[in-house]
Amino acid sequence: MYPTAILCNVFGVSRSGFYEWCSRRSVPDSKREVLKAKVVELHAESRESLGARMMSEYLKAQQITVGRHLAGKLMMEANLASKQRRPHPFRSRGVEAFIAPNRLERNFQPAAINQVWCGDVTSLLVGKRWFHLAVVIDLFARRVVGWAFSLINDAHLVTKALKMAVEVRGTPTGLIFHSDQGCQYSSRKFQAALEQHGIVQSMSRRGQCWDNAPTERFFGTLKSEWVPGEGYPTIEKAKADMTQFFMRYNLIRLHSYNNYLSPIAMEQRAA
């Protein structure tokens, strides 16, 4: 028997390359190809958003035990890469809202369902116009409980999203709704809707996007993982694709905050 270093030198390969080849051979080729095919399938379903860590968690959710290292190797072999989210620019002014104080104070971990909802609005490119999307998220498991679409970003849009959330979840006593200081949320129409359902309003400080971090994170996930870079050709396709994403996000997408359970699975576990 000759030392590994000498053999590698004779055959013109690096020792690290040899050991990497040995680790790959520890998984039978046929099994490895099946795993690789599953990795390709999951990566496509996620619209190329999964990295090695999340790929490993998705495989585990399907009773396929694969570590992060092997998941990364399989992705490299299949020439797969994860989309990366760009940093969110913001200005910090820290001014309290006149309409409502910041009751949440970045406490984004309510103890139960229907204690804290948060909302926000983002814009999607449809043809050559901007199409606006408002969402309502229950912070307990980060589940999207209400949404609405409109070509006009106004109080009617956010009130419509709130109405859907109320129809789906009801309004238990002491529920807090948190948002930024946008004119939609500070409007009389929206305040009247909150008052009608006995919901207490809370607002971020001006310029402090981290005061509403869960919705900022959600929109970052939506745009980096799902929305096409060129936007949508029609409003109908935008609505259909957004609804598909909400269904996937609530029912299938694993969330690190939920210990890699989907929002619905997290709520079911807590029930």
Side-chain angles (χ1 to χ4, degrees):
M1 295 293 291
Y2 293 94
T4 301
I6 294 177
L7 290 173
C8 288
N9 185 54
V10 169
F11 289 102
V13 298
S14 66
R15 283 196 298 170
S16 60
F18 170 72
Y19 288 124
E20 192 277 333
W21 177 82
C22 289
S23 67
R24 280 192 294 163
R25 298 294 296 179
S26 64
V27 179
D29 288 345
S30 58
K31 182 179 179 181
R32 191 180 188 87
E33 290 305 312
V34 171
L35 283 176
K36 191 186 300 182
K38 190 64 178 178
V39 165
V40 172
E41 177 187 338
L42 290 173
H43 192 256
E45 288 179 358
S46 73
R47 298 194 179 180
E48 304 179 1
S49 65
L50 294 182
R53 177 175 58 85
M54 289 302 295
M55 181 65 73
S56 174
E57 295 296 337
Y58 272 85
L59 290 168
K60 289 176 184 177
Q62 299 190 18
Q63 286 74 53
I64 303 174
T65 303
V66 171
R68 178 178 180 178
H69 177 74
L70 178 55
K73 289 291 184 181
L74 293 170
M75 290 181 67
M76 288 179 61
E77 292 172 19
N79 196 28
L80 303 177
S82 171
K83 292 180 180 178
Q84 298 296 318
R85 189 180 309 166
R86 290 176 294 180
H88 187 288
F90 70 96
R91 294 177 297 172
S92 178
R93 296 177 183 173
V95 180
E96 281 287 355
F98 176 75
I99 301 299
N102 185 353
R103 304 178 193 276
L104 207 54
E105 289 292 346
R106 300 189 184 181
N107 179 15
F108 302 132
Q109 299 178 337
I113 297 168
N114 288 339
Q115 288 189 345
V116 180
W117 294 351
C118 59
D120 205 349
V121 179
T122 194
S123 300
L124 308 171
L125 186 62
V126 177
K128 296 183 178 180
R129 301 184 62 181
W130 290 107
F131 187 55
H132 305 290
L133 165 67
V135 299
V136 178
I137 299 174
D138 187 315
L139 285 191
F140 175 74
R142 305 306 198 253
R143 180 175 177 176
V144 184
V145 294
W147 60 83
F149 310 97
S150 177
L151 286 170
I152 304 174
N153 186 1
D154 60 4
H156 178 73
L157 171 65
V158 296
T159 303
K160 187 177 178 181
L162 176 67
K163 180 181 178 182
M164 177 180 176
V166 169
E167 290 174 349
V168 171
R169 305 298 288 262
T171 51
T173 303
L175 174 62
I176 294 176
F177 185 95
H178 184 80
S179 70
D180 60 22
Q181 296 186 38
C183 60
Q184 311 94 325
Y185 295 107
S186 59
S187 67
R188 291 185 177 180
K189 181 179 179 67
F190 188 74
Q191 291 180 65
L194 292 178
E195 185 177 355
Q196 176 187 353
H197 299 294
I199 302 174
V200 179
Q201 189 169 23
S202 171
M203 283 187 164
S204 303
R205 291 162 293 179
R206 186 175 299 278
Q208 292 278 357
C209 67
W210 297 113
D211 284 353
N212 199 12
T215 53
E216 296 285 352
R217 180 181 176 86
F218 172 78
F219 283 144
T221 297
L222 170 67
K223 292 184 178 181
S224 65
E225 296 185 6
W226 198 258
V227 177
E230 68 279 8
Y232 295 98
T234 66
I235 292 175
E236 290 71 23
K237 288 190 176 182
K239 286 184 176 181
D241 201 47
M242 288 298 95
T243 302
Q244 182 183 353
F245 175 76
F246 298 143
M247 297 298 101
R248 174 183 171 82
Y249 185 87
N250 285 338
L251 187 61
I252 298 174
R253 189 186 184 281
L254 306 183
H255 204 303
S256 58
Y257 176 79
N258 294 333
N259 293 320
Y260 298 103
L261 293 175
S262 69
I264 288 178
M266 182 65 178
E267 289 188 345
Q268 289 174 341
R269 172 175 288 189

